[in-house]
Amino acid sequence: MYHIPILLLTFLLPITITAETVLGIYILSRHGDRSSKSTPPTNLTTLGYSQVFTSGSYFRSRYISSSASSPILGISHDVVNYKQIAASAPLDTVLMPSAQGFLQGLYPPVGTQLGVQLLRNKTEVQTPLDGYQLIPIQTVTTGTASEDSAWLQGAGNCANAITSSNEYLSTPEYQDLLNSTGDFYKSLAPVVNATFSEDFLSYKNAYAIYDLINVATIHNASIPSSSLLTPSTISQLSSLANTHELSLAYNNSDPIRAIAGSTLAAQVVQALNTTLSAPSHAPKINIQFGAYGSFQSFFGLANLTSLPAVLSTDNLTDGTDFTAIPDYASTLTFELITNASVTDFPSPSDISVRFLFHNGTTSNSSTPVAYPLFGQPLLELPWNDFVKGMNAFAVGDQSDWRRGAGAVGGGAEGRAEESGGG
């Protein structure tokens, strides 16, 4: 039986916030449940829509509503203030709809009383759909159609990251797994032969195979030769896919492989710094929707992969393993907080950052957990220490991005939301 170290429990307990003020947040959310990448076009499912809507509703109850447990300073509770929120997603049939679903939960329809406008001639105009709120979502190009690609770096514009990921395929570790799992993958031919040829069935395609079977176990009424899919087999498929994808997303000796995490780090620092430097008109909520590759590469860079995995045995944890692929609708959140008086906006020396993660759909019964970044023990890092830690691997300047990444196709910029991986 797996035992959670006592020290680890100190940051696995649900967060109880007292005598502090949240000044702003940055959220990265994975999309909800979707159809398989091997049967394009890949689409967000009704289940996936429900997952991201539920997560958005939770974050509303935490940060936005008039009864929020950790209300953001000065946030508009019911009617969205466009100056206070910035959202972005690639334009595809999974990530963009996920962003829309999440935002529906974050700022739901306001009803007939608030959703009305009085014109000069005294005519009252009701907002359609019971006061439905239209929240702009910035469209980003890189990462578009990433959910139709099974290759982790396939939707990115970073030639050097692609080269680095490809180098994993020539390592002894990869070759050992390729050889030792050959019979295992071939044994699954009766399950997947309607989609994959026998030559495709190897560790080289670990994620695509896992993805097809995982989607089938969620949605298909019947699966060919389903008796082969024992709990042990499903667990092995998941474990091998986790190893394969983390190895493509992050390598300690070759940081460029984790360019998605580097650009995410820069985006987070830039956004939170803008909230600090222009609190009256900068966004208080920044939300980005992306694929699991951004999560995995950031986890490696921030030294979260060194934390022990936690089995989900009760409501205490969500089964977080920072070496694994995050579940659908997973979220990582950076909270900008202070314990100082907020009569005036506090100085940076009075501000800290807390990092939280939740694996899978977030709800009032399964909430985010705080974890320490950068291999140090503090859950709340002073702002300057947080910036220093992030800047150790952040890539946020376009010239730096081009020098490090070797951009392909032109027009690429060092922006966190512009990264692929499904």
Side-chain angles (χ1 to χ4, degrees):
M1 179 177 179
Y2 187 91
H3 295 284
I4 303 173
I6 293 176
L7 178 61
L8 183 59
L9 282 173
T10 62
F11 58 82
L12 285 177
L13 295 174
I15 299 301
T16 301
I17 299 176
T18 58
E20 75 173 29
T21 301
V22 179
L23 305 172
I25 59 171
Y26 193 105
I27 299 171
L28 172 67
S29 176
R30 193 183 175 202
H31 54 76
D33 177 84
R34 52 157 175 73
S35 57
S36 172
K37 289 190 173 192
S38 299
T39 55
T42 309
N43 295 309
L44 185 72
T45 66
T46 302
L47 172 61
Y49 181 10
S50 176
Q51 289 170 337
V52 293
F53 178 85
T54 299
S55 288
S57 299
Y58 166 77
F59 283 102
R60 171 173 178 76
S61 71
R62 183 182 179 97
Y63 297 116
I64 296 175
S65 75
S66 57
S67 59
S69 57
S70 303
I72 296 172
L73 180 67
I75 199 69
S76 179
H77 299 304
D78 296 308
V79 179
V80 64
N81 181 338
Y82 292 145
K83 293 193 303 182
Q84 295 183 341
I85 185 169
S88 63
L91 182 58
D92 66 8
T93 54
V94 178
L95 288 163
M96 182 60 73
S98 291
Q100 294 167 334
F102 184 100
L103 293 172
Q104 287 171 12
L106 197 69
Y107 274 103
V110 294
T112 56
Q113 188 172 5
L114 292 177
V116 63
Q117 184 180 46
L118 182 64
L119 303 183
R120 184 170 182 261
N121 64 4
K122 308 303 181 185
T123 300
E124 288 188 349
V125 180
Q126 289 290 149
T127 304
L129 301 175
D130 197 34
Y132 184 90
Q133 304 199 68
L134 300 171
I135 301 178
I137 302 172
Q138 180 186 359
T139 301
V140 295
T141 54
T142 305
T144 297
S146 64
E147 293 312 305
D148 286 333
S149 172
W151 174 237
L152 184 70
Q153 304 279 21
N157 272 342
C158 181
N160 290 346
I162 294 171
T163 298
S164 176
S165 290
N166 279 326
E167 288 172 354
Y168 169 63
L169 307 182
S170 61
T171 62
E173 294 80 10
Y174 171 81
Q175 291 298 327
D176 287 346
L177 283 171
L178 183 69
N179 295 330
S180 63
T181 61
D183 290 341
F184 169 72
Y185 281 107
K186 292 296 189 288
S187 72
L188 297 173
V191 180
V192 299
N193 57 14
T195 305
F196 300 137
S197 67
E198 187 171 347
D199 290 342
F200 190 87
L201 301 180
S202 73
Y203 176 66
K204 180 179 180 180
N205 301 302
Y207 182 75
I209 297 167
Y210 165 74
D211 179 59
L212 180 71
I213 291 176
N214 180 56
V215 170
T217 60
I218 296 171
H219 293 282
N220 292 13
S222 62
I223 302 173
S225 302
S226 60
S227 61
L228 294 173
L229 299 179
T230 64
S232 175
T233 296
I234 296 295
S235 177
Q236 187 173 0
L237 281 168
S238 175
S239 177
L240 289 168
N242 289 338
T243 300
H244 188 275
E245 297 304 283
L246 180 62
S247 299
L248 295 179
Y250 171 74
N251 181 275
N252 185 53
S253 61
D254 194 7
I256 194 60
R257 189 175 303 182
I259 187 65
S262 296
T263 51
L264 171 63
Q267 185 82 354
V268 171
V269 171
Q270 290 164 5
L272 295 181
N273 187 60
T274 300
T275 300
L276 289 182
S277 58
S280 62
H281 58 269
K284 298 175 182 292
I285 301 173
N286 288 271
I287 307 171
Q288 174 193 153
F289 292 82
Y292 65 82
S294 296
F295 286 82
Q296 287 190 300
S297 57
F298 179 79
F299 292 162
L301 291 168
N303 205 22
L304 290 162
T305 49
S306 65
L307 298 177
V310 181
L311 298 183
S312 181
T313 55
D314 51 34
N315 291 330
L316 176 64
T317 71
D318 54 18
T320 293
D321 178 356
F322 286 109
T323 67
I325 298 167
D327 289 344
Y328 296 134
S330 293
T331 53
L332 58 81
T333 305
F334 299 86
E335 293 180 337
L336 202 60
I337 58 176
T338 184
N339 290 309
S341 168
V342 290
T343 304
D344 296 313
F345 204 81
S347 67
S349 61
D350 291 322
I351 292 172
S352 298
V353 176
R354 178 190 293 122
F355 170 80
L356 306 101
F357 176 71
H358 187 272
N359 190 42
T361 306
T362 310
S363 68
N364 288 326
S365 61
S366 186
T367 60
V369 173
Y371 295 91
L373 295 169
F374 318 132
Q376 55 77 51
L378 297 178
L379 296 181
E380 299 172 11
L381 273 178
W383 170 250
N384 289 335
D385 293 345
F386 170 76
V387 172
K388 181 180 178 180
M390 294 287 267
N391 281 345
F393 53 82
V395 175
D397 177 82
Q398 182 171 346
S399 60
D400 288 345
W401 195 92
R402 287 187 177 278
R403 281 195 298 271
V408 223
E413 297 190 15
R415 300 166 59 134
E417 67 268 28
E418 299 191 342
S419 55

